[in-house]
């Protein structure tokens, strides 16, 4: 027997009846929510890997001009790696979230 051709079927949205205040109320919904979170994290990680490969390619192709010509890829890669990965859920967002630019108010 060979592999089945096609795309795997799964629900892409989080479960509707998940209660974050009482996650253990329904164990099936809790596991579906966990699977959803893990799936979304893997998607973010793989997007960052793709951007990293594009950045490597740009560095190799552009040579000495890579600082100017690959700047947009560097910014996209840095933005995509902020706040993703495992073990960062318990940290406050200020430590692993996107960089917050302070606005200078004139006095």
């Amino acid at each position: 027997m060979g592999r089945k051709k096609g795309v795997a079927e799964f629900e892409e949205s989080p479960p509707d009846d998940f209660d974050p205040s009482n996650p253990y109320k329904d164990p099936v919904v809790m596991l579906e929510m966990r699977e959803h979170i893990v799936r979304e994290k893997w998607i973010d990680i793989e997007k960052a890997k793709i951007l990293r490969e594009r950045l490597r390619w740009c560095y190799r192709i552009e040579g000495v001009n890579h600082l100017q010509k690959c700047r947009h890829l560097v910014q996209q890669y840095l933005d995509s790696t902020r706040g993703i990965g495992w073990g960062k859920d318990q940290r406050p967002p200020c430590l692993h979230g996107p960089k917050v630019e302070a606005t200078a108010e004139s006095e």
Side-chain angles (χ1 to χ4, degrees):
M1 291 190 139
R3 289 185 170 184
K4 288 175 72 175
K5 293 184 180 180
V7 179
E9 295 290 327
F10 58 88
E11 186 66 32
E12 294 184 20
S13 62
D16 297 330
D17 49 352
F18 179 71
D19 183 16
S21 62
N22 188 8
Y24 299 106
K25 178 179 168 185
D26 189 358
V28 174
V29 175
M30 182 188 70
L31 290 175
E32 287 176 357
M33 187 65 180
R34 184 186 299 169
E35 288 176 357
H36 172 73
I37 291 170
V38 168
R39 187 169 42 249
E40 292 300 314
K41 284 186 181 218
W42 275 113
I43 290 170
D44 291 340
I45 289 169
E46 292 301 319
K47 285 179 184 177
K49 286 181 182 179
I50 291 169
L51 284 171
R52 183 176 59 207
E53 288 301 316
R54 287 183 185 166
L55 187 59
R56 282 184 186 163
W57 179 84
C58 186
Y59 279 178
R60 289 182 192 139
I61 297 300
E62 297 301 334
V64 295
N65 296 327
H66 72 276
L67 292 175
Q68 288 129 1
K69 297 200 175 184
C70 303
R71 182 172 295 180
H72 66 286
L73 287 174
V74 170
Q75 190 60 43
Q76 285 178 356
Y77 178 66
L78 290 176
D79 290 341
S80 72
T81 57
R82 288 194 179 104
I84 65 167
W86 304 107
K88 296 188 177 190
D89 292 333
Q90 303 303 320
R91 297 183 195 173
C94 63
L95 294 179
H96 64 83
K99 184 189 247 183
V100 179
E101 296 181 16
T103 57
E105 294 182 19
S106 27
E107 294 182 37

